[in-house]
Amino acid sequence: MERDVLNQVIDKTKALMEVPTCCAELKEAAKEWLDAVGTNDEDRQTERYLRELKEDIMPIDQLIAFAGSEDGKKYFGEEKAAEIVGHSNTIKQQGAAYCDCPACMLVEELIHLLS
């Protein structure tokens, strides 16, 4: 990985770990990747990290379905769930493929950098 790209990935990974909407599994994969940078394990951890990033990004249709479901209403509260559905439908119409929460936005950038 080129030094400039590596530095971008490191910075975005550190930022991702601070975002409240980043799940615990992804935070752990991010930490393990950061710990492996510059070691013999870097390539393996990069592949693992990229797999985790791809698993954890929230497709917009999946977010809409969950937020609009009874489970989503219980999780977010009815008012917030309705806001999420409305906002998600709007960004979907504008071409968004994924959730635009801070974590998903960073994940999308990281996937692009690592792919």
Coordinates of all heavy atoms in Angstrom, one line a residue, residues 17-114:
M17 N -13.0 4.5 14.9 CA -13.1 3.9 16.2 C -13.7 4.8 17.2 O -14.2 4.3 18.3 CB -11.7 3.4 16.6 CG -11.1 2.3 15.8 SD -9.4 2.0 16.1 CE -9.5 1.3 17.8
E18 N -13.8 6.1 17.0 CA -14.3 7.1 17.9 C -15.8 7.3 17.6 O -16.5 8.0 18.4 CB -13.5 8.4 17.8 CG -12.1 8.3 18.1 CD -11.9 7.8 19.6 OE1 -12.6 8.3 20.5 OE2 -11.0 7.0 19.8
V19 N -16.3 6.9 16.5 CA -17.7 7.1 16.2 C -18.7 6.2 17.0 O -18.5 5.0 16.9 CB -17.9 6.9 14.6 CG1 -19.4 7.1 14.2 CG2 -17.1 7.9 13.9
P20 N -19.7 6.8 17.6 CA -20.6 6.0 18.4 C -21.4 4.9 17.6 O -21.7 3.9 18.2 CB -21.5 7.0 19.0 CG -20.9 8.3 18.9 CD -19.9 8.2 17.8
T21 N -21.6 5.2 16.4 CA -22.4 4.2 15.6 C -21.5 3.1 15.0 O -22.0 2.2 14.3 CB -23.1 4.9 14.4 OG1 -22.2 5.7 13.7 CG2 -24.2 5.8 14.9
C22 N -20.2 3.0 15.3 CA -19.4 1.9 14.9 C -19.6 0.8 15.9 O -19.4 0.9 17.1 CB -17.9 2.4 14.9 SG -16.8 1.1 14.4
C23 N -19.8 -0.4 15.4 CA -20.1 -1.6 16.2 C -18.8 -2.1 16.8 O -17.7 -1.9 16.3 CB -20.8 -2.7 15.4 SG -19.8 -3.5 14.2
A24 N -19.0 -2.9 17.9 CA -17.8 -3.4 18.6 C -16.9 -4.3 17.8 O -15.7 -4.2 17.9 CB -18.3 -4.2 19.9
E25 N -17.5 -5.1 16.9 CA -16.7 -6.0 16.1 C -15.8 -5.3 15.2 O -14.7 -5.6 14.9 CB -17.6 -7.0 15.3 CG -18.4 -8.0 16.2 CD -19.7 -7.3 16.7 OE1 -20.1 -6.2 16.3 OE2 -20.4 -8.0 17.5
L26 N -16.4 -4.2 14.6 CA -15.6 -3.4 13.7 C -14.5 -2.6 14.4 O -13.4 -2.5 13.9 CB -16.5 -2.5 12.9 CG -15.8 -1.7 11.8 CD1 -14.9 -2.5 10.8 CD2 -16.8 -0.9 11.0
K27 N -14.8 -2.1 15.6 CA -13.8 -1.5 16.4 C -12.6 -2.4 16.7 O -11.4 -2.0 16.6 CB -14.4 -0.9 17.7 CG -15.2 0.3 17.4 CD -15.7 0.9 18.8 CE -16.6 2.1 18.5 NZ -17.1 2.7 19.7
E28 N -12.9 -3.6 17.0 CA -11.9 -4.6 17.3 C -11.1 -4.9 16.1 O -9.8 -5.0 16.1 CB -12.5 -5.9 17.9 CG -11.5 -7.0 18.2 CD -10.6 -6.6 19.3 OE1 -10.9 -5.7 20.2 OE2 -9.4 -7.1 19.4
A29 N -11.7 -5.1 14.9 CA -11.0 -5.4 13.7 C -10.1 -4.2 13.3 O -9.0 -4.3 12.9 CB -11.9 -5.7 12.5
A30 N -10.6 -3.0 13.6 CA -9.8 -1.8 13.3 C -8.6 -1.7 14.2 O -7.5 -1.4 13.7 CB -10.7 -0.5 13.5
K31 N -8.8 -2.0 15.5 CA -7.6 -2.0 16.4 C -6.6 -3.0 16.0 O -5.4 -2.8 16.0 CB -8.1 -2.2 17.8 CG -7.0 -2.2 18.8 CD -7.5 -2.6 20.2 CE -6.4 -2.5 21.2 NZ -5.1 -3.1 20.9
E32 N -7.0 -4.2 15.6 CA -6.1 -5.3 15.3 C -5.4 -4.9 14.0 O -4.2 -5.2 13.9 CB -6.9 -6.6 15.1 CG -7.3 -7.2 16.4 CD -8.2 -8.4 16.3 OE1 -8.4 -8.9 15.2 OE2 -8.7 -8.9 17.3
W33 N -6.1 -4.2 13.1 CA -5.4 -3.8 11.8 C -4.3 -2.7 12.2 O -3.2 -2.8 11.7 CB -6.4 -3.3 10.8 CG -5.7 -2.8 9.6 CD1 -5.2 -3.6 8.6 CD2 -5.3 -1.4 9.3 NE1 -4.5 -2.8 7.6 CE2 -4.6 -1.5 8.1 CE3 -5.4 -0.2 9.9 CZ2 -4.0 -0.3 7.5 CZ3 -4.9 0.9 9.3 CH2 -4.2 0.9 8.1
L34 N -4.7 -1.8 13.0 CA -3.7 -0.7 13.4 C -2.5 -1.3 14.1 O -1.4 -0.9 13.8 CB -4.4 0.3 14.3 CG -5.3 1.3 13.6 CD1 -6.1 2.1 14.7 CD2 -4.6 2.2 12.7
D35 N -2.7 -2.3 14.9 CA -1.6 -3.0 15.6 C -0.7 -3.7 14.7 O 0.5 -3.9 15.0 CB -2.2 -3.9 16.7 CG -2.8 -3.2 17.9 OD1 -2.6 -2.0 18.0 OD2 -3.5 -3.9 18.7
A36 N -1.3 -4.2 13.5 CA -0.5 -5.0 12.6 C 0.2 -4.1 11.5 O 1.1 -4.7 10.8 CB -1.4 -6.0 11.9
V37 N -0.1 -2.9 11.5 CA 0.6 -2.0 10.4 C 2.1 -2.0 10.7 O 2.6 -1.8 11.8 CB 0.0 -0.5 10.5 CG1 0.9 0.4 9.6 CG2 -1.4 -0.5 10.1
G38 N 2.8 -2.3 9.6 CA 4.3 -2.3 9.7 C 4.8 -3.7 10.1 O 6.0 -3.8 10.3
T39 N 4.0 -4.7 10.4 CA 4.4 -6.0 10.8 C 4.2 -7.0 9.7 O 3.6 -6.7 8.7 CB 3.6 -6.5 12.0 OG1 2.3 -6.8 11.7 CG2 3.6 -5.4 13.2
N40 N 4.7 -8.2 9.9 CA 4.5 -9.3 8.9 C 3.1 -9.7 8.8 O 2.7 -10.4 7.8 CB 5.4 -10.5 9.3 CG 6.8 -10.3 9.2 OD1 7.3 -9.4 8.4 ND2 7.6 -11.0 9.9
D41 N 2.2 -9.3 9.7 CA 0.8 -9.7 9.8 C -0.1 -8.6 9.1 O -1.3 -8.8 9.0 CB 0.4 -9.9 11.2 CG -0.9 -10.7 11.3 OD1 -1.1 -11.6 10.5 OD2 -1.6 -10.5 12.3
E42 N 0.5 -7.5 8.6 CA -0.2 -6.4 8.0 C -1.1 -6.9 6.8 O -2.3 -6.5 6.8 CB 0.7 -5.3 7.5 CG -0.1 -4.1 7.0 CD 0.8 -2.9 6.6 OE1 2.0 -2.9 7.0 OE2 0.3 -2.1 5.9
D43 N -0.6 -7.6 5.9 CA -1.4 -8.0 4.8 C -2.6 -8.9 5.2 O -3.7 -8.7 4.7 CB -0.6 -8.8 3.7 CG 0.4 -7.9 3.0 OD1 0.2 -6.7 3.0 OD2 1.4 -8.5 2.4
R44 N -2.4 -9.8 6.1 CA -3.5 -10.7 6.5 C -4.5 -9.9 7.3 O -5.7 -10.0 7.1 CB -3.0 -11.8 7.4 CG -4.0 -12.8 7.9 CD -3.5 -13.9 8.7 NE -3.1 -13.5 10.1 CZ -4.0 -13.3 11.0 NH1 -5.3 -13.6 10.8 NH2 -3.7 -12.9 12.2
Q45 N -4.1 -9.0 8.1 CA -5.0 -8.2 8.9 C -5.8 -7.2 8.0 O -6.9 -6.8 8.2 CB -4.3 -7.4 10.0 CG -4.0 -8.3 11.2 CD -5.2 -8.9 11.9 OE1 -6.3 -8.4 11.9 NE2 -5.0 -10.1 12.5
T46 N -5.1 -6.7 6.9 CA -5.8 -5.8 6.0 C -6.9 -6.6 5.3 O -8.0 -6.0 5.2 CB -4.8 -5.3 4.9 OG1 -3.8 -4.5 5.6 CG2 -5.5 -4.4 3.9
E47 N -6.7 -7.8 4.9 CA -7.8 -8.6 4.3 C -8.9 -8.8 5.2 O -10.1 -8.7 4.9 CB -7.2 -9.9 3.8 CG -6.3 -9.8 2.6 CD -5.6 -11.1 2.2 OE1 -6.1 -12.2 2.6 OE2 -4.6 -11.1 1.5
R48 N -8.6 -9.1 6.5 CA -9.6 -9.4 7.5 C -10.4 -8.1 7.8 O -11.6 -8.1 7.9 CB -8.9 -9.8 8.8 CG -9.9 -10.1 9.9 CD -9.2 -10.7 11.1 NE -10.1 -10.8 12.2 CZ -10.5 -9.8 13.0 NH1 -9.9 -8.6 12.9 NH2 -11.3 -10.0 14.0
Y49 N -9.7 -7.0 7.9 CA -10.3 -5.7 8.1 C -11.2 -5.3 7.0 O -12.4 -4.9 7.2 CB -9.2 -4.6 8.3 CG -9.6 -3.2 8.7 CD1 -10.7 -3.0 9.5 CD2 -8.9 -2.1 8.2 CE1 -11.1 -1.7 9.9 CE2 -9.3 -0.8 8.6 CZ -10.4 -0.6 9.4 OH -10.8 0.6 9.8
L50 N -10.8 -5.5 5.8 CA -11.6 -5.2 4.6 C -12.9 -6.0 4.6 O -14.0 -5.5 4.3 CB -10.8 -5.3 3.3 CG -11.6 -5.0 2.0 CD1 -12.1 -3.6 2.0 CD2 -10.6 -5.2 0.8
R51 N -12.8 -7.3 4.9 CA -14.0 -8.2 5.0 C -14.9 -7.7 6.1 O -16.1 -7.6 5.8 CB -13.6 -9.6 5.4 CG -13.1 -10.5 4.2 CD -13.1 -11.9 4.5 NE -12.3 -12.2 5.7 CZ -11.0 -12.4 5.8 NH1 -10.3 -12.3 4.7 NH2 -10.4 -12.7 7.0
E52 N -14.4 -7.3 7.2 CA -15.3 -6.7 8.3 C -15.9 -5.4 7.9 O -17.1 -5.2 8.1 CB -14.5 -6.6 9.6 CG -15.3 -6.2 10.8 CD -16.2 -7.4 11.2 OE1 -15.8 -8.5 11.1 OE2 -17.3 -7.1 11.7
L53 N -15.2 -4.6 7.2 CA -15.8 -3.3 6.7 C -17.0 -3.6 5.8 O -18.0 -3.0 5.9 CB -14.7 -2.5 6.0 CG -13.6 -1.8 6.8 CD1 -12.5 -1.4 6.0 CD2 -14.2 -0.7 7.6
K54 N -16.8 -4.5 4.9 CA -17.8 -4.9 3.9 C -19.0 -5.5 4.6 O -20.2 -5.3 4.1 CB -17.3 -5.8 2.8 CG -16.3 -5.1 1.9 CD -15.8 -6.0 0.8 CE -14.9 -5.3 -0.2 NZ -14.3 -6.2 -1.2
E55 N -18.8 -6.3 5.6 CA -19.9 -6.9 6.4 C -20.7 -5.9 7.2 O -21.9 -6.1 7.4 CB -19.4 -8.0 7.3 CG -18.9 -9.2 6.6 CD -18.3 -10.2 7.6 OE1 -18.4 -10.1 8.8 OE2 -17.6 -11.1 7.1
D56 N -20.0 -4.8 7.6 CA -20.7 -3.9 8.6 C -21.3 -2.7 8.0 O -22.1 -2.0 8.7 CB -19.7 -3.5 9.7 CG -19.4 -4.7 10.6 OD1 -20.0 -5.7 10.5 OD2 -18.4 -4.5 11.4
I57 N -21.0 -2.4 6.7 CA -21.7 -1.2 6.1 C -23.2 -1.5 5.9 O -23.5 -2.6 5.5 CB -21.0 -0.8 4.8 CG1 -21.4 0.6 4.4 CG2 -21.1 -1.8 3.7 CD1 -20.6 1.3 3.4
M58 N -24.0 -0.6 6.2 CA -25.4 -0.8 6.2 C -26.0 -0.3 4.8 O -26.1 0.8 4.5 CB -26.1 0.0 7.3 CG -27.6 0.0 7.3 SD -28.3 -1.7 7.7 CE -27.9 -1.8 9.4
P59 N -26.5 -1.3 4.0 CA -27.1 -1.0 2.8 C -28.4 -0.2 3.1 O -29.1 -0.4 4.0 CB -27.5 -2.3 2.1 CG -26.5 -3.3 2.8 CD -26.3 -2.8 4.2
I60 N -28.7 0.8 2.2 CA -29.8 1.8 2.5 C -31.1 1.0 2.6 O -31.9 1.3 3.4 CB -29.8 2.9 1.5 CG1 -30.7 4.1 2.0 CG2 -30.2 2.5 0.1 CD1 -30.1 4.8 3.1
D61 N -31.3 0.0 1.7 CA -32.6 -0.7 1.7 C -32.8 -1.5 3.0 O -33.9 -1.6 3.5 CB -32.7 -1.6 0.5 CG -32.9 -0.9 -0.8 OD1 -33.5 0.2 -0.8 OD2 -32.5 -1.4 -1.9
Q62 N -31.7 -2.0 3.5 CA -31.7 -2.8 4.8 C -32.1 -1.8 5.9 O -32.8 -2.2 6.8 CB -30.4 -3.5 5.0 CG -30.4 -4.5 6.1 CD -29.1 -5.2 6.1 OE1 -28.3 -5.3 5.2 NE2 -28.8 -5.8 7.3
L63 N -31.5 -0.6 5.9 CA -31.8 0.4 7.0 C -33.2 0.8 6.9 O -33.9 0.8 8.0 CB -30.9 1.6 6.8 CG -31.1 2.7 7.8 CD1 -30.9 2.3 9.2 CD2 -30.2 3.9 7.5
I64 N -33.7 1.0 5.7 CA -35.1 1.4 5.6 C -36.1 0.3 6.1 O -37.0 0.6 6.9 CB -35.5 1.8 4.1 CG1 -34.7 3.1 3.7 CG2 -37.0 1.9 3.9 CD1 -34.7 3.3 2.2
A65 N -35.8 -0.9 5.7 CA -36.6 -2.0 6.2 C -36.5 -2.2 7.7 O -37.6 -2.4 8.3 CB -36.1 -3.3 5.5
F66 N -35.4 -2.1 8.3 CA -35.3 -2.2 9.7 C -35.9 -1.1 10.5 O -36.7 -1.3 11.4 CB -33.8 -2.4 10.2 CG -33.7 -2.4 11.7 CD1 -34.1 -3.6 12.4 CD2 -33.1 -1.4 12.4 CE1 -34.1 -3.6 13.8 CE2 -33.0 -1.5 13.8 CZ -33.5 -2.6 14.5
A67 N -35.6 0.1 10.1 CA -36.2 1.3 10.8 C -37.7 1.3 10.7 O -38.4 1.8 11.6 CB -35.6 2.6 10.3
G68 N -38.2 0.8 9.6 CA -39.7 0.8 9.4 C -40.4 -0.4 10.0 O -41.6 -0.5 10.0
S69 N -39.6 -1.3 10.5 CA -40.2 -2.5 11.2 C -40.6 -2.3 12.6 O -40.2 -1.3 13.2 CB -39.2 -3.7 11.1 OG -38.1 -3.5 12.0
E70 N -41.3 -3.2 13.2 CA -41.7 -3.1 14.6 C -40.4 -3.1 15.5 O -40.3 -2.4 16.5 CB -42.6 -4.2 15.0 CG -44.0 -4.0 14.5 CD -44.6 -2.6 14.9 OE1 -44.6 -2.2 16.0 OE2 -45.2 -2.0 14.0
D71 N -39.4 -4.0 15.1 CA -38.2 -4.0 15.9 C -37.4 -2.7 15.8 O -36.8 -2.2 16.8 CB -37.3 -5.2 15.4 CG -37.8 -6.5 15.8 OD1 -38.5 -6.6 16.8 OD2 -37.4 -7.5 15.1
G72 N -37.4 -2.1 14.6 CA -36.8 -0.8 14.4 C -37.4 0.3 15.2 O -36.8 1.1 15.8
K73 N -38.7 0.3 15.3 CA -39.5 1.3 16.1 C -39.2 1.1 17.6 O -39.1 2.1 18.3 CB -41.0 1.1 15.8 CG -41.3 1.6 14.4 CD -42.8 1.3 14.1 CE -43.1 1.6 12.7 NZ -44.4 1.2 12.3
K74 N -39.0 -0.2 18.0 CA -38.7 -0.4 19.4 C -37.3 0.0 19.7 O -37.0 0.6 20.7 CB -38.8 -1.9 19.7 CG -40.3 -2.4 19.8 CD -40.3 -3.9 20.1 CE -41.7 -4.4 20.0 NZ -41.8 -5.8 20.0
Y75 N -36.4 -0.2 18.7 CA -34.9 0.1 18.9 C -34.7 1.6 18.9 O -34.0 2.2 19.8 CB -34.1 -0.5 17.8 CG -32.6 -0.3 17.9 CD1 -31.9 -1.1 18.8 CD2 -32.0 0.7 17.2 CE1 -30.5 -0.8 18.9 CE2 -30.6 0.9 17.3 CZ -29.9 0.1 18.2 OH -28.6 0.4 18.3
F76 N -35.3 2.3 17.9 CA -35.0 3.7 17.7 C -36.1 4.6 18.4 O -35.8 5.8 18.7 CB -35.1 4.1 16.2 CG -33.9 3.6 15.4 CD1 -34.2 2.6 14.4 CD2 -32.6 3.9 15.7 CE1 -33.2 2.1 13.7 CE2 -31.6 3.4 14.9 CZ -31.9 2.5 13.9
G77 N -37.3 4.1 18.7 CA -38.4 4.8 19.1 C -39.2 5.2 17.9 O -38.6 5.4 16.8
E78 N -40.5 5.3 18.0 CA -41.3 5.5 16.8 C -41.0 6.8 16.0 O -40.9 6.8 14.8 CB -42.8 5.5 17.1 CG -43.3 4.1 17.4 CD -44.8 3.9 17.3 OE1 -45.4 4.6 16.5 OE2 -45.3 3.1 18.0
E79 N -40.8 7.9 16.7 CA -40.5 9.1 16.0 C -39.1 9.1 15.3 O -39.0 9.5 14.1 CB -40.5 10.3 17.0 CG -40.4 11.7 16.4 CD -40.6 12.8 17.4 OE1 -41.5 12.7 18.3 OE2 -39.8 13.7 17.3
K80 N -38.1 8.6 16.0 CA -36.8 8.6 15.4 C -36.8 7.6 14.2 O -36.2 7.8 13.2 CB -35.7 8.2 16.4 CG -34.3 8.2 15.9 CD -33.9 9.6 15.5 CE -32.5 9.7 15.1 NZ -32.1 11.0 14.7
A81 N -37.5 6.4 14.4 CA -37.5 5.5 13.3 C -38.2 6.1 12.0 O -37.7 5.9 10.9 CB -38.3 4.2 13.7
A82 N -39.2 6.8 12.2 CA -39.9 7.5 11.1 C -39.0 8.5 10.4 O -38.9 8.6 9.2 CB -41.2 8.2 11.6
E83 N -38.2 9.2 11.2 CA -37.2 10.2 10.7 C -36.2 9.5 9.9 O -35.8 9.9 8.8 CB -36.5 10.9 11.8 CG -37.3 12.0 12.5 CD -36.6 12.6 13.7 OE1 -35.3 12.6 13.7 OE2 -37.2 13.1 14.6
I84 N -35.7 8.3 10.4 CA -34.7 7.6 9.7 C -35.2 7.1 8.4 O -34.5 7.1 7.3 CB -34.1 6.4 10.6 CG1 -33.3 7.0 11.7 CG2 -33.3 5.4 9.8 CD1 -33.0 6.0 12.8
V85 N -36.4 6.5 8.4 CA -37.0 6.0 7.1 C -37.2 7.2 6.1 O -36.8 7.0 4.9 CB -38.4 5.4 7.4 CG1 -39.1 5.1 6.1 CG2 -38.2 4.1 8.2
G86 N -37.7 8.3 6.6 CA -37.8 9.4 5.6 C -36.5 9.9 5.1 O -36.4 10.1 3.9
H87 N -35.5 10.1 5.9 CA -34.2 10.6 5.5 C -33.6 9.5 4.6 O -33.0 9.9 3.5 CB -33.3 10.8 6.7 CG -31.9 11.1 6.3 ND1 -31.5 12.3 5.8 CD2 -30.8 10.4 6.4 CE1 -30.2 12.3 5.6 NE2 -29.7 11.1 5.9
S88 N -33.7 8.3 4.9 CA -33.1 7.2 4.1 C -33.7 7.1 2.7 O -33.0 6.9 1.7 CB -33.2 5.9 4.8 OG -32.4 5.9 6.1
N89 N -35.0 7.3 2.7 CA -35.7 7.3 1.4 C -35.2 8.5 0.5 O -35.0 8.3 -0.7 CB -37.2 7.3 1.5 CG -37.7 5.9 1.8 OD1 -37.4 4.9 1.1 ND2 -38.7 5.8 2.7
T90 N -35.0 9.6 1.2 CA -34.6 10.8 0.4 C -33.2 10.6 -0.1 O -32.9 10.8 -1.3 CB -34.5 12.0 1.4 OG1 -35.9 12.3 1.8 CG2 -34.0 13.3 0.7
I91 N -32.2 10.1 0.7 CA -30.9 9.9 0.2 C -30.8 8.8 -0.8 O -30.0 8.8 -1.7 CB -29.8 9.8 1.3 CG1 -30.0 8.5 2.1 CG2 -29.8 11.0 2.2 CD1 -28.9 8.2 3.1
K92 N -31.7 7.8 -0.7 CA -31.7 6.7 -1.7 C -32.2 7.2 -3.0 O -31.6 6.9 -4.1 CB -32.7 5.6 -1.2 CG -32.8 4.5 -2.2 CD -33.8 3.4 -1.8 CE -34.0 2.4 -2.8 NZ -35.0 1.4 -2.5
Q93 N -33.1 8.1 -3.0 CA -33.6 8.7 -4.3 C -32.5 9.6 -4.9 O -32.4 9.8 -6.1 CB -34.8 9.6 -4.0 CG -36.1 8.8 -3.8 CD -37.3 9.6 -3.4 OE1 -37.1 10.8 -3.1 NE2 -38.4 9.0 -3.3
Q94 N -31.6 10.1 -4.1 CA -30.4 10.9 -4.6 C -29.3 10.0 -5.0 O -28.2 10.5 -5.4 CB -30.0 11.9 -3.5 CG -31.0 12.9 -3.2 CD -30.7 13.7 -1.9 OE1 -29.8 13.4 -1.1 NE2 -31.5 14.7 -1.7
G95 N -29.4 8.7 -4.9 CA -28.4 7.7 -5.3 C -27.6 7.0 -4.2 O -26.7 6.3 -4.6
A96 N -27.9 7.3 -3.0 CA -27.1 6.6 -1.9 C -27.4 5.1 -1.9 O -28.5 4.7 -2.0 CB -27.5 7.2 -0.5
A97 N -26.3 4.4 -1.7 CA -26.4 2.9 -1.6 C -26.3 2.5 -0.2 O -26.8 1.4 0.1 CB -25.3 2.3 -2.4
Y98 N -25.8 3.3 0.7 CA -25.6 3.0 2.1 C -26.1 4.1 3.0 O -26.3 5.2 2.6 CB -24.1 2.8 2.3 CG -23.5 1.7 1.5 CD1 -22.7 2.0 0.4 CD2 -23.7 0.4 1.8 CE1 -22.1 1.0 -0.4 CE2 -23.2 -0.6 1.0 CZ -22.4 -0.3 -0.1 OH -21.9 -1.3 -0.9
C99 N -26.2 3.7 4.2 CA -26.6 4.6 5.3 C -25.5 5.7 5.3 O -24.4 5.5 4.9 CB -26.5 3.8 6.6 SG -26.5 4.8 8.1
D100 N -26.0 6.9 5.8 CA -25.0 8.0 5.8 C -24.7 8.5 7.2 O -24.3 9.6 7.4 CB -25.5 9.2 5.0 CG -26.8 9.9 5.5 OD1 -27.4 9.3 6.4 OD2 -27.1 11.0 5.1
C101 N -24.8 7.5 8.2 CA -24.3 7.8 9.5 C -22.8 8.0 9.4 O -22.1 7.5 8.5 CB -24.7 6.8 10.5 SG -23.7 5.2 10.4
P102 N -22.2 8.6 10.4 CA -20.7 8.8 10.4 C -19.9 7.5 10.2 O -18.9 7.5 9.5 CB -20.4 9.5 11.7 CG -21.7 10.2 12.1 CD -22.8 9.3 11.6
A103 N -20.3 6.5 10.9 CA -19.6 5.2 10.7 C -19.7 4.7 9.3 O -18.6 4.3 8.7 CB -20.1 4.2 11.7
C104 N -20.9 4.6 8.8 CA -21.0 4.1 7.4 C -20.3 4.9 6.4 O -19.7 4.4 5.4 CB -22.5 3.9 7.1 SG -23.2 2.5 7.9
M105 N -20.3 6.2 6.6 CA -19.6 7.1 5.6 C -18.1 6.8 5.7 O -17.4 6.7 4.6 CB -19.9 8.6 6.0 CG -21.3 8.9 5.6 SD -21.8 10.6 6.1 CE -20.7 11.6 5.1
L106 N -17.5 6.6 6.9 CA -16.1 6.3 7.0 C -15.8 4.9 6.4 O -14.8 4.7 5.7 CB -15.6 6.4 8.4 CG -15.4 7.8 8.9 CD1 -15.3 7.8 10.5 CD2 -14.2 8.4 8.3
V107 N -16.7 4.0 6.7 CA -16.5 2.6 6.2 C -16.5 2.6 4.6 O -15.7 2.0 4.0 CB -17.6 1.7 6.7 CG1 -17.6 0.3 6.0 CG2 -17.4 1.4 8.2
E108 N -17.4 3.4 4.0 CA -17.4 3.4 2.6 C -16.1 4.0 2.0 O -15.6 3.5 1.1 CB -18.6 4.3 2.1 CG -18.9 4.2 0.6 CD -20.2 4.9 0.2 OE1 -20.8 5.5 1.0 OE2 -20.6 4.6 -1.0
E109 N -15.6 5.0 2.7 CA -14.3 5.6 2.3 C -13.2 4.6 2.4 O -12.3 4.4 1.6 CB -14.0 6.9 3.1 CG -14.9 8.0 2.7 CD -14.7 9.2 3.6 OE1 -13.5 9.4 4.0 OE2 -15.6 9.9 4.0
L110 N -13.2 3.9 3.5 CA -12.1 2.9 3.8 C -12.2 1.7 2.8 O -11.1 1.3 2.3 CB -12.2 2.4 5.2 CG -11.7 3.3 6.3 CD1 -12.3 3.0 7.7 CD2 -10.2 3.4 6.3
I111 N -13.4 1.3 2.5 CA -13.5 0.2 1.5 C -12.9 0.6 0.2 O -12.2 -0.1 -0.5 CB -15.0 -0.2 1.3 CG1 -15.5 -1.0 2.6 CG2 -15.2 -1.1 0.1 CD1 -17.0 -1.2 2.6
H112 N -13.2 1.9 -0.2 CA -12.7 2.4 -1.5 C -11.1 2.4 -1.4 O -10.5 2.1 -2.4 CB -13.3 3.8 -1.7 CG -12.7 4.4 -2.9 ND1 -13.0 4.1 -4.2 CD2 -11.8 5.5 -3.1 CE1 -12.3 4.8 -5.1 NE2 -11.6 5.6 -4.4
L113 N -10.6 2.9 -0.3 CA -9.1 3.0 -0.2 C -8.4 1.7 -0.2 O -7.3 1.5 -0.7 CB -8.8 3.8 1.1 CG -9.0 5.3 1.0 CD1 -8.9 5.9 2.4 CD2 -8.1 6.0 0.1
L114 N -9.1 0.7 0.4 CA -8.5 -0.7 0.6 C -8.7 -1.6 -0.6 O -8.1 -2.7 -0.7 CB -8.9 -1.3 1.9 CG -8.4 -0.6 3.2 CD1 -9.1 -1.2 4.4 CD2 -6.9 -0.8 3.3

